[in-house]
Amino acid sequence: MADPVSAENSSGDAIAQALRAEILAGRLVAGERLVEEALAKRFGVSRIPVREALARLQTEGFVTIVRHRGATVSSSLIHDGRELLQVRRGLEVLAAQLAAERRGGVVADDISRVADGETDTHTPFHELIATASGNEQLREMLATLNQRVQWSLGHNPETSADDHRAVAIAIRNGAAVQAGYLMDEHLRRDEQFFSAEFDR
């Protein structure tokens, strides 16, 4: 049973984080009902942040909400996560190739800073590449997709920084094939992490 969340952490985001962790740990199982009133009591909050949390978890694929029947833990989370990572890789490779063709486009200066090893750019790397692609539809698709798969990604800051720098150099040099290849290799690491962490 979860402890009540503190007043400063009683937002939908905090409750979503707690429920997400329980689902990934297997304490909430596929098909299990998530009743708003019971969750509100359990977390010591009103039903509003619980409703916000469930809506967010539905967007991420953790929860299925059916009108008049309520929310349940998704029965296809791991399968969907694996498929979404594959789709993400394909779109990110395309974004890197388009970005290289445009040599960074409107964010060429930011790309150049990443290529030079700077890590304090204001925009997250993958968002930067999507913008550099110059394709607004692709950028929007990746924003939605990355939100859905964020939970499944590994995190090795040193390796990621090295990968990002290599991709950025290829983009700055206008080497589309190389940029796509390097992005593909970079994202395969996330898929390998996913398989090691979640396949069962």
Side-chain angles (χ1 to χ4, degrees):
M1 179 169 171
D3 294 326
V5 293
S6 61
E8 63 270 21
N9 289 323
S10 61
S11 68
D13 284 348
I15 294 167
Q17 183 176 355
L19 291 173
R20 188 187 302 111
E22 291 191 26
I23 293 170
L24 290 173
R27 291 191 295 272
L28 291 172
V29 299
E32 185 169 344
R33 290 191 66 216
L34 300 169
V35 181
E36 283 184 15
E37 187 175 352
L39 289 171
K41 183 176 181 181
R42 179 178 166 192
F43 286 106
V45 298
S46 72
R47 291 173 70 167
I48 293 173
V50 171
R51 196 170 294 131
E52 291 172 355
L54 293 175
R56 175 167 182 169
L57 292 172
Q58 181 182 39
T59 300
E60 296 174 354
F62 285 89
V63 166
T64 301
I65 300 175
V66 178
R67 191 174 180 181
H68 304 308
R69 295 179 64 184
T72 57
V73 177
S74 172
S75 59
S76 60
L77 176 65
I78 303 302
H79 176 267
D80 291 349
R82 186 182 300 105
E83 289 189 344
L84 286 169
L85 285 174
Q86 292 171 345
V87 172
R88 171 186 181 244
R89 178 160 44 93
L91 293 178
E92 291 270 16
V93 166
L94 174 60
Q97 291 170 335
L98 292 174
E101 289 173 6
R102 304 174 76 245
R103 292 181 183 266
V106 297
V107 291
D109 289 345
D110 288 329
I111 295 289
S112 192
R113 280 194 283 274
V114 175
D116 290 337
E118 296 182 31
T119 57
D120 60 348
T121 57
H122 298 295
T123 307
F125 178 73
H126 290 276
E127 186 179 327
L128 196 63
I129 301 306
T131 301
S133 76
N135 186 314
E136 184 62 20
Q137 299 302 316
L138 180 58
R139 189 194 67 75
E140 290 180 6
M141 290 171 70
L142 280 170
T144 301
L145 194 54
N146 279 319
Q147 182 182 17
R148 289 190 64 187
V149 300
Q150 194 63 40
W151 62 272
S152 64
L153 306 181
H155 186 61
N156 183 327
E158 187 174 333
T159 300
S160 289
D162 290 344
D163 287 355
H164 293 174
R165 183 168 183 265
V167 172
I169 290 171
I171 290 172
R172 182 171 66 182
N173 291 341
V177 173
Q178 184 184 25
Y181 173 81
L182 291 169
M183 181 65 84
D184 183 81
E185 289 295 299
H186 170 55
L187 294 177
R188 281 183 189 276
R189 288 192 237 287
D190 282 332
E191 292 177 42
Q192 289 165 0
F193 168 82
F194 182 92
S195 293
E197 192 76 7
F198 301 109
D199 280 355
R200 43 185 177 260

